[in-house]
Amino acid sequence: MKKLYCLLFLLLSNCTDAVMNKNAKIYIPGHTGLVGSALMKKLKKDGFNNIIVRTSKELDLRNQAAVEAFFAQEKPEYIFLVAAKVGGIYANKTYPADFIYDNLLISANVIHAAHKHNAKKLLFFGSSCIYPRLCPQPMKEEYLLTGLLEKTNEAYAVAKIAGITLCQSYNKQYGTHFIACMPTNLYGPHDNFDLEKSHVLPALLYKVYRAKKLNSPHVQVWGTGKPYREFLYVEDLADAAIFLMNNYDGNEIINIGTGIDVTIKQLVETIKKVVGYDGKLIFDTSKPDGTPRKLQNVDRLHALGWKAPTSLVAGIEKTLAWCEKNHIFDQA
Ligand code: GDP
């Protein structure tokens, strides 16, 4: 039954001839961030030689006229829309207006310009927090908009849901090829390691590294340590994104994850092992836990033919090696 579903899904997903050739003009809004950097690295490694980028200073994606002028001039063929205002649980709770405003404008401006200037294909990046707070686990794509959202990141999630609906609406009305993927929690090189704004994995990697360096007897972990989270190494995401750009053309969203999750306590224990630190954990329950669990169902992605290759331990080791090489924790 599952095999039949997968086969049907593949047929319905209408794999087109839209495979990017090596000279295709590819635009990556957000190329310096966590996902953008990994995509740049992978596309260059794969031989793509016509990638265009602009820093946020050169092009403010919240400015509709500026985005329109850029698209009119450059006419990119393929767009990986990774630009977004992102942050961890504390940043989302503290700056909800910035999270919804910036993300709505970025998505609306880029998606509309891509349509107006006849882009061949656009891949929009959503997030696993678009699913209901108490969603059945693992979360299937069709559970979108079936329940109330998690309050700590509601503003961000609503903006991302608007981005998905934009893609689907332009496809329906104008026959565009705008696809949308939902990556789970990401980590890796070029992540944000600022302890107030970052997500849990980079935050705990930094805290554990610092505790070891300073011979501190304990590390503080926010919340109870009981929530579950799924983590995907960002270079795997880049690989999956290029795979989808070349192999998927449906209107349904696609989850990207590993299909495996761990508790925050298990995560910090794993980080302790990788870093080589054996101090105590102190759980600060004055900080929020957020959603109890958000494991993605990745059957659709597996049916299309892609699976995440990097284990959590290997991914944390690679991230730590990158941090050390680039002196990210030098002030620790
Ligand atoms: P979320 O996945 O949107 O909830 O965002 P985060 O990645 O920021 O947080 C995930 C979980 O990790 C929450 O339960 C946090 O309370 C917990 N957590 C534990 N320690 C930390 C920390 O130092 N920083 C962050 N951001 N989260 C932490």
Side-chain angles (χ1 to χ4, degrees), residues 88-89 153 185 198-200 203 207 221-222 229 264 288-289 294:
I89 195 163
N153 53 31
N185 299 42
S198 64
H199 282 100
V200 58
K207 285 183 186 175
V221 182
W222 293 358
R229 292 292 183 274
I264 299 301
D289 265 348
K294 46 177 172 176

Side-chain angles (χ1 to χ4, degrees), residues 87-92 127-129 150 152-153 156 185-186 194-205 207 219-231 264-265 267-268 282-284 287-292 294:
I89 195 163
Y90 179 80
N92 267 277
S127 158
S128 58
C129 69
E150 158 62 30
T152 50
N153 53 31
Y156 175 77
N185 299 42
L186 302 168
D194 173 318
L195 291 180
E196 291 223 324
K197 295 187 182 143
S198 64
H199 282 100
V200 58
L201 195 152
L204 289 177
L205 184 57
K207 285 183 186 175
V219 164
Q220 206 179 66
V221 182
W222 293 358
T224 60
K226 290 181 183 154
Y228 283 81
R229 292 292 183 274
E230 176 188 10
F231 298 98
I264 299 301
K265 184 161 188 285
L267 171 71
V268 66
I282 296 179
F283 290 92
D284 175 2
K287 294 282 194 310
D289 265 348
T291 197
K294 46 177 172 176

Side-chain angles (χ1 to χ4, degrees), residues 16-21 23-25 71 75-79 113-115 117-123 171 175-179 245 248-249:
T16 63
D17 56 345
V19 171
M20 296 183 292
N21 69 52
N23 302 318
K25 195 167 197 179
F71 269 78
K75 299 201 184 305
E77 294 174 282
Y78 295 90
I79 298 136
H115 153 61
H117 296 284
N118 301 316
K120 285 188 179 152
K121 206 162 178 182
L122 177 146
L123 173 57
N171 292 344
T176 48
H177 299 275
F178 296 167
I179 58 175
M245 192 64 114
Y248 179 70
D249 195 29

Side-chain angles (χ1 to χ4, degrees), residues 37-332:
S37 308
L39 261 172
M40 289 286 287
K41 182 174 163 191
K42 176 76 178 134
L43 285 166
K44 281 185 183 161
K45 189 170 162 229
D46 288 355
F48 291 95
N49 56 41
N50 195 6
I51 304 170
I52 47 173
V53 293
R54 292 290 184 278
T55 62
S56 53
K57 277 208 181 105
E58 290 164 342
L59 175 59
D60 181 350
L61 296 168
R62 296 167 304 179
N63 179 333
Q64 196 261 336
V67 173
E68 162 60 27
F70 168 77
F71 269 78
Q73 187 192 324
E74 293 290 347
K75 299 201 184 305
E77 294 174 282
Y78 295 90
I79 298 136
F80 290 88
L81 181 39
V82 296
K85 180 167 183 69
V86 295
I89 195 163
Y90 179 80
N92 267 277
K93 244 187 117 203
T94 316
Y95 311 107
D98 296 353
F99 277 86
I100 191 163
Y101 180 79
D102 288 5
N103 287 312
L104 280 175
L105 290 186
I106 293 170
S107 303
N109 290 342
V110 174
I111 289 169
H112 183 71
H115 153 61
K116 205 169 158 201
H117 296 284
N118 301 316
K120 285 188 179 152
K121 206 162 178 182
L122 177 146
L123 173 57
F124 174 76
F125 289 70
S127 158
S128 58
C129 69
I130 55 146
Y131 291 109
R133 173 168 206 273
L134 299 177
C135 195
Q137 305 285 321
M139 304 181 300
K140 292 185 179 171
E141 288 88 345
E142 59 260 37
Y143 298 158
L144 175 63
L145 293 174
T146 56
L148 295 176
L149 296 165
E150 158 62 30
K151 283 285 168 211
T152 50
N153 53 31
E154 189 175 45
Y156 175 77
V158 167
K160 284 291 173 187
I161 293 169
I164 296 168
T165 310
L166 275 163
C167 290
Q168 294 172 334
S169 303
Y170 278 78
N171 292 344
K172 278 184 202 150
Q173 189 175 336
Y174 297 116
T176 48
H177 299 275
F178 296 167
I179 58 175
C181 65
M182 301 305 120
T184 190
N185 299 42
L186 302 168
Y187 68 98
H190 300 278
D191 209 340
N192 180 354
F193 293 88
D194 173 318
L195 291 180
E196 291 223 324
K197 295 187 182 143
S198 64
H199 282 100
V200 58
L201 195 152
L204 289 177
L205 184 57
Y206 180 25
K207 285 183 186 175
V208 170
Y209 182 93
R210 185 176 61 182
K212 182 184 173 188
K213 196 167 167 198
L214 302 176
N215 278 321
S216 170
H218 51 73
V219 164
Q220 206 179 66
V221 182
W222 293 358
T224 60
K226 290 181 183 154
Y228 283 81
R229 292 292 183 274
E230 176 188 10
F231 298 98
L232 179 69
Y233 185 57
V234 72
E235 293 187 4
D236 289 356
L237 173 71
D239 192 52
I242 296 166
F243 173 84
L244 286 178
M245 192 64 114
N246 284 330
N247 294 286
Y248 179 70
D249 195 29
N251 214 24
E252 304 302 327
I253 62 175
I254 304 278
N255 289 339
I256 306 183
T258 60
I260 302 163
D261 60 359
V262 292
T263 63
I264 299 301
K265 184 161 188 285
Q266 287 168 330
L267 171 71
V268 66
E269 295 293 355
T270 307
I271 292 174
K272 279 172 63 182
K273 270 195 202 125
V274 172
V275 172
Y277 171 76
D278 62 2
K280 284 207 170 72
L281 301 177
I282 296 179
F283 290 92
D284 175 2
T285 51
S286 70
K287 294 282 194 310
D289 265 348
T291 197
R293 195 173 185 197
K294 46 177 172 176
L295 176 64
Q296 300 206 119
N297 177 303
V298 282
D299 287 351
R300 278 190 186 173
L301 189 60
H302 287 182
L304 286 164
W306 191 91
K307 273 190 182 166
T310 309
S311 71
L312 182 59
V313 170
I316 296 172
E317 283 170 352
K318 286 184 188 188
T319 307
L320 178 60
W322 179 85
C323 289
E324 287 183 321
K325 190 172 166 216
N326 292 282
H327 311 286
I328 300 296
F329 300 146
D330 272 5
Q331 286 94 334

